[in-house]
Amino acid sequence: MIHVADLRVRFGQNEVVKGVSFSVPRGASFGLVGESGSGKSTILRAFSGLNPAWTGQMTLDGEKLRPKRDKSFFRRVQMVFQDPYGSLHPRQTVDRALSEPLLVHGIADAQPRILRALAEVALPQAVRFRYPHQLSGGQRQRVAIARALMAEPEVLLLDEPTSALDVSVQAEVLNLLADLQQARALTYVMVTHNLAVVTHLCGRVGVMQGGELVEELSAEDLRAGRTKHPHTADLRALTLNLEEPDL
Amino acid sequence: MVSGITRDWLLSDSPASRSQAAWGRRYRLWLQFRRHGLAMAGLCVIVFVVVVSALAPVLATQNPGAQDLAARLAPPSAAHWLGTDELGRDLFSRLVYGGRITLGMVLAVVVLVAPFGLAVGCVAGYAGGIADKVLMRVTDIFLAFPRLVLALAFVAAMKPGVESAVFAIALTAWPPYARLARAETLTFRNTDFVAAVRLTGASASRIVLRHIAPLCLSSLIVRVTLDMSSIVLTAAGLGFLGMGAQPPSPEWGAMIASARRFLLDEWWVPTIPGLAIFVVSLAFNLLGDGLRDVLDPKQS
Amino acid sequence: MLVEIKNLSIRFPTPQGESEAVRGVSLSLGQEKLGIVGESGSGKSLTARSILKLLPGNARISADRLAFDGTDVLAASEADMRAIRGRRAGLILQDPKYALNPVMTAGSQIAEAWRAHRPANARAGRKEAAEAAVDLLAQVQIRDPDRVAGAYPHELSGGMGQRVMIAMMLAPSPDLLIADEPTSALDATVQAEILRLVEDLVSSRGMGLILISHDLPLVSHVCDRVAVMYAGQVVEELPAHDLRHARHGYTRGLLECLPSLIHPQKRLQVLNRDPAWLDPIGARG
């Protein structure tokens, strides 16, 4: 479904993504982990079309992507952002946020679609005409997910979708993402710094350091500690230290 | 009873329609605004002046142009509530009719200037690059002219009158709005919610019109309200210098100009229109301060 | 006792009447490390900040006792509080970017903090203060303290900024350190280093520490004792190593809904909020 080869992204003199390659089959989940500044979010933004300044090759379903995307691309690929407080327009109601993709793509029967979308992300109908500031962080993230799904995309790009949420809400959102993937056969690319989260949702994991993909391995290998690169081992040790301090 | 239902409807936590949500938001802003005593006073004064100007034909005791040379420069009395001017015209009636001219000029300037400044600023801020540079340099050029001098030159080149004065003020009033709108646009341009709209595939014009411009609007309203007092003053200044409204029209600045010779002996003749200018511009300032507290997103 | 809180209540006026954000919290702290854990809005930050009287202006606060090292905080004047804040108790915030002055170098900010809190009989010169600042930066394990002392906050990374912040708080040798989500803006590797640093400093200087966080495993890793807050109340208080034997449903729920690296689950448990958790627990002795 997604194929990325030798992707390079530059910010001025700085090369922040240095020749990254990976592919994600249809219906699978791929996780990118790494510390801030490792370039993981930059990859997501380049693929989504938000950052056109890249070189290399990216394909979606065999179709080559160019820096400038057309409308049909945005029907197939959508993104969920990290900060649920910043990703919703402060002066627009939930209803307006959800109808925007429908208006842009000229999709009919907005009303039933919005109601269905709210139900799908387990939000009560009462929130439909609320403003973002009247919602909790978890509810906002559900709205953001519902918005991303309005145009029925095949690929969802997840940029730290739970790191701004409380752990109890994180569990609900992760379960929701897992359910949606099953129901709609979505392909996920998720960026996070949390190994437990990434192994929970993603079958394969790419470890980023300093703009390079230093290791790609399966979630099972990561859990079991079959790592090759020292950075992967470091990250794993830090997580384990918190999870099982007695080990 | 009815008002109770309305209030609950407005403050409902789960509105049932987009318009209910929007009105609820406005009502909450109004509740916040109502707590500012001075701003409410400003609002009351402005509403009062607007109503009085609208009802000028009813309220005026006499024709504002009717001369009565026998009763010139009369002090306030039952017949002439605020006295008469040098041609024996009733000052109260002239003041009431003058409000129409002053407020009309303010309104005309704002209608011309605010949308233009907003459009220039939003486009420059969102497009960036060459468009931004060109638009902002043009803005800078207009910003570099002293307002009254440019207005004077402009009016002198055309024929003096209310329309020329409005155009002249508009010409010098828009650049601050463009700058403000651009600055606001720049802060919103790279937010996640704008990125999310871009990812729906929306066109640039749609993003600017439907998502960014509405956000710039509230700070623009604040700025416009605060600027209204200076528009009132500039309009009066032009009138005073003989470049704005022409006699015998009862514009407040022109009234002061024609009566300034009498400041020492018949002081009320120039003082009364002066007071009107002072009160109206102060009211606009107070209203603007209150609106800033309520609308400015940076403070909440 | 360094800190004594008995039956603390913090309320905010709202259009719908008063809302109580902290409801009858009692805590005490000696020279130890106490963690306060809870979700956003649970009142954990308010509780800790009330010790320094650093609450939003419209907050209404009442308590049977709220004392810092014997000083009654509720009765203390603003001048008394200024003598406590910074000098006797330091506060480390989540994001050093907003807590540091952007137009002053790191070194001069630390030096200023150091000078401001010197006792009146020991006034120190600029040079001495600058040396103290570099020394403090070395104490927070910055490898190149001279360079960092001359740097402006925007030239520092997140972890470095947080170290500078800690150095600034340590300048007057306080008795208590309150750390409000000190590492949630940082990477895991940096987070571990900063927490180790705080832990070492607190132990070696014999300070008290209040660590506020939403991250239960992290807090139990650093602290001796953990207080779990839910909806403005402390629902459970237990020794950190006993976390696994938590009795309250909320604490257990919080632990269970965490995804785990080594114990994979098909589906994450979600927290089922028991309305009974909201019932007032009552002031405890």
Side-chain angles (χ1 to χ4, degrees):
Chain A
M1 186 75 193
I2 292 174
H3 190 73
V4 173
D6 196 32
L7 176 69
R8 287 168 192 278
V9 184
R10 236 171 218 296
F11 289 139
Q13 290 295 314
N14 258 355
E15 198 171 51
V16 288
V17 177
K18 304 168 181 164
V20 166
S21 310
F22 62 90
S23 26
V24 188
R26 184 182 287 272
S29 305
F30 184 78
L32 281 167
V33 294
E35 312 216 298
S36 48
S38 63
K40 55 189 194 307
S41 291
T42 312
I43 296 177
L44 223 53
R45 292 181 87 86
F47 188 84
S48 71
L50 284 175
N51 180 1
W54 52 271
T55 58
Q57 248 196 22
M58 294 196 277
T59 59
L60 174 72
D61 214 5
E63 208 176 299
K64 240 179 161 178
L65 296 180
R66 273 179 304 238
K68 244 188 149 21
R69 309 288 153 81
D70 52 14
K71 248 186 186 175
S72 63
F73 171 82
F74 296 114
R75 277 203 77 162
R76 306 184 66 186
V77 178
Q78 277 296 312
M79 183 153 159
V80 176
F81 296 86
Q82 169 179 9
D83 180 11
Y85 294 84
S87 69
L88 296 177
H89 194 290
R91 295 282 165 79
Q92 292 179 357
T93 58
V94 172
D95 177 71
R96 170 91 193 270
L98 295 184
S99 51
E100 198 62 24
L102 300 178
L103 288 172
V104 169
H105 294 292
I107 301 171
D109 42 87
Q111 167 103 352
R113 276 171 192 271
I114 288 171
L115 294 178
R116 212 180 321 141
L118 286 175
E120 202 169 11
V121 296
L123 279 173
Q125 305 273 315
V127 306
R128 181 171 167 199
F129 293 104
R130 279 191 203 162
Y131 287 97
H133 68 88
Q134 294 169 298
L135 306 176
S136 70
Q139 287 178 322
R140 287 182 220 210
Q141 201 60 313
R142 285 169 194 272
V143 172
I145 293 171
R147 173 181 59 191
L149 293 176
M150 285 314 287
E152 299 180 344
E154 299 155 61
V155 175
L156 214 51
L157 308 173
L158 307 165
D159 188 1
E160 304 253 15
T162 61
S163 63
L165 305 175
D166 282 316
V167 288
S168 55
V169 183
Q170 164 173 293
E172 293 168 10
V173 170
L174 286 176
N175 282 343
L176 171 66
L177 288 170
D179 294 345
L180 288 171
Q181 181 169 37
Q182 275 225 308
R184 295 188 167 215
L186 291 164
T187 307
Y188 284 164
V189 180
M190 174 154 91
V191 158
T192 178
H193 63 271
N194 187 324
L195 293 194
V197 167
V198 83
T199 50
H200 177 77
L201 201 66
C202 301
R204 284 197 78 72
V205 179
V207 181
M208 299 279 304
Q209 187 185 26
E212 289 174 61
L213 189 73
V214 294
E215 183 170 3
E216 194 193 317
L217 71 174
S218 71
E220 290 80 50
D221 285 348
L222 184 55
R223 282 204 190 96
R226 292 188 287 272
T227 59
K228 295 195 191 76
H229 195 275
H231 188 61
T232 317
D234 281 352
L235 291 178
R236 182 173 179 276
L238 280 166
T239 310
L240 282 191
N241 191 23
L242 277 181
E243 248 180 46
E244 307 273 323
D246 325 321
L247 284 182
Chain B
M1 201 57 218
V2 172
S3 76
I5 291 166
T6 323
R7 196 184 140 86
D8 288 343
W9 183 80
L10 284 168
L11 290 177
S12 159
D13 249 351
S14 38
S17 70
R18 245 188 237 187
S19 61
Q20 188 186 357
W23 281 109
R25 198 177 77 81
R26 282 169 211 147
Y27 184 63
R28 284 193 179 89
L29 288 177
W30 165 245
L31 289 182
Q32 243 176 304
F33 179 80
R34 230 172 40 177
R35 290 206 302 265
H36 291 266
L38 281 175
M40 278 303 283
L43 182 66
C44 290
V45 168
I46 288 161
V47 168
F48 175 74
V49 173
V50 168
V51 169
V52 166
S53 308
L55 298 180
V58 184
L59 289 174
T61 47
Q62 291 170 28
N63 181 338
Q67 302 183 4
D68 177 8
L69 290 172
R72 64 192 290 269
L73 298 172
S77 65
H80 302 286
W81 293 352
L82 296 175
T84 58
D85 69 0
E86 73 278 11
L87 295 174
R89 293 173 296 197
D90 182 51
L91 269 180
F92 173 73
S93 307
R94 285 180 71 74
L95 201 66
V96 168
Y97 272 97
R100 294 185 141 193
I101 300 176
T102 302
L103 289 180
M105 284 172 85
V106 168
L107 193 74
V109 169
V110 167
V111 166
L112 279 176
V113 156
F116 184 69
L118 180 68
V120 169
C122 286
V123 168
Y126 189 75
I130 293 175
D132 182 26
K133 285 212 175 79
V134 170
L135 286 173
M136 280 304 114
R137 288 305 82 77
V138 172
T139 311
D140 284 345
I141 290 170
F142 277 94
L143 210 51
F145 281 109
R147 177 181 274 200
L148 199 60
V149 174
L150 182 67
L152 273 176
F154 188 81
V155 175
M158 293 168 58
K159 74 174 184 24
V162 173
E163 296 84 3
S164 322
V166 166
F167 274 112
I169 298 172
L171 208 58
T172 53
W174 67 270
Y177 304 127
R179 297 232 82 144
L180 181 74
R182 175 176 174 269
E184 293 272 305
T185 305
L186 285 180
T187 62
F188 298 126
R189 190 178 132 180
N190 292 320
T191 54
D192 281 352
F193 64 82
V194 170
V197 182
R198 277 169 67 192
L199 286 184
T200 61
S203 62
S205 58
R206 185 183 177 86
I207 295 172
V208 169
L209 268 179
R210 307 217 356 142
H211 299 274
I212 292 183
L215 282 172
C216 302
L217 212 57
S218 51
S219 47
L220 203 73
I221 290 173
V222 171
R223 183 64 200 257
V224 163
T225 316
L226 288 171
D227 267 4
M228 279 181 176
S229 65
S230 86
I231 297 174
V232 171
L233 292 178
T234 311
L238 284 175
F240 181 82
L241 294 171
M243 296 296 184
Q246 294 300 304
S249 97
E251 197 272 329
W252 295 344
M255 281 165 73
I256 299 180
S258 62
R260 68 182 186 278
R261 287 172 288 148
F262 313 109
L263 185 59
L264 289 181
D265 299 318
E266 287 86 18
W267 55 268
W268 60 89
V269 184
T271 303
I272 283 165
L275 269 179
I277 294 170
F278 166 73
V279 167
V280 169
S281 49
L282 180 68
F284 274 122
N285 265 332
L286 293 176
L287 175 68
D289 271 341
L291 283 177
R292 173 165 52 207
D293 289 347
V294 175
L295 289 179
D296 198 334
K298 278 163 228 104
Q299 306 209 341
S300 59
Chain C
M1 277 292 118
L2 199 51
V3 174
E4 274 178 274
I5 301 175
K6 209 169 273 174
N7 202 14
L8 171 73
S9 149
I10 300 174
R11 292 172 307 276
F12 291 93
T14 67
Q16 286 82 37
E18 269 193 347
S19 79
E20 200 171 15
V22 174
R23 308 185 290 153
V25 165
S26 300
L27 286 171
S28 62
L29 177 83
Q31 287 182 356
E32 58 180 332
K33 292 169 281 187
L34 171 71
I36 305 182
V37 181
E39 292 170 296
S40 41
S42 61
K44 54 188 192 303
S45 287
L46 289 173
T47 303
R49 280 165 189 240
S50 69
I51 302 164
L52 301 180
K53 242 188 186 172
L54 283 176
L55 294 175
N58 57 347
R60 295 191 196 139
I61 175 169
S62 67
D64 293 349
R65 182 157 173 77
L66 180 63
F68 174 80
D69 201 14
T71 312
D72 185 351
V73 170
L74 287 184
S77 68
E78 196 48 30
D80 296 337
M81 286 317 296
R82 270 201 297 276
I84 291 179
R85 279 179 216 139
R87 187 178 308 186
R88 305 214 41 217
L91 179 66
I92 302 174
L93 297 168
Q94 177 175 350
D95 202 336
K97 251 185 232 123
Y98 301 110
L100 292 172
N101 184 340
V103 295
M104 269 173 91
T105 61
S108 48
Q109 292 187 54
I110 300 170
E112 185 156 294
W114 186 79
R115 266 159 58 112
H117 294 294
R118 297 283 285 175
N121 56 6
R123 286 264 166 256
R126 272 178 190 287
K127 205 163 157 246
E128 210 180 319
E131 279 163 15
V134 172
D135 181 47
L136 280 160
L137 284 171
Q139 277 190 47
V140 293
Q141 287 160 26
I142 287 175
R143 256 168 268 142
D144 192 357
D146 287 302
R147 188 187 63 81
V148 173
Y152 287 92
H154 69 92
E155 298 168 329
L156 303 171
S157 67
M160 203 67 100
Q162 202 56 292
R163 281 169 203 263
V164 168
M165 196 66 218
I166 294 172
M168 208 163 121
M169 288 302 146
L170 290 178
S173 307
D175 303 311
L176 171 70
L177 208 53
I178 298 176
D180 192 348
E181 304 264 11
T183 59
S184 46
L186 304 176
D187 281 325
T189 44
V190 187
Q191 166 174 311
E193 287 167 22
I194 295 278
L195 287 176
R196 204 172 308 132
L197 172 70
V198 169
E199 221 181 322
D200 291 348
L201 287 168
V202 166
S203 308
S204 66
R205 290 176 170 233
M207 294 188 281
L209 171 73
I210 297 181
L211 177 64
I212 302 160
S213 174
H214 63 278
D215 192 334
L216 196 47
L218 181 91
V219 167
S220 65
H221 197 63
V222 175
C223 296
D224 308 318
R225 248 177 343 122
V226 178
V228 181
M229 286 192 70
Y230 181 75
Q233 300 189 98
V234 173
V235 292
E236 185 162 19
E237 201 183 323
L238 70 174
H241 55 84
D242 269 356
L243 205 57
R244 261 155 238 285
H245 309 121
R247 289 214 308 276
H248 197 275
Y250 177 66
T251 318
R252 283 212 308 275
L254 272 189
L255 285 169
E256 280 161 4
C257 65
L258 279 170
S260 156
L261 180 58
I262 31 183
H263 304 296
Q265 294 151 285
K266 263 259 160 289
R267 206 176 161 72
L268 292 172
Q269 299 228 22
V270 289
L271 190 66
N272 289 314
R273 287 158 203 272
D274 188 343
W277 298 347
L278 293 171
D279 294 344
I281 294 171
R284 287 166 301 169

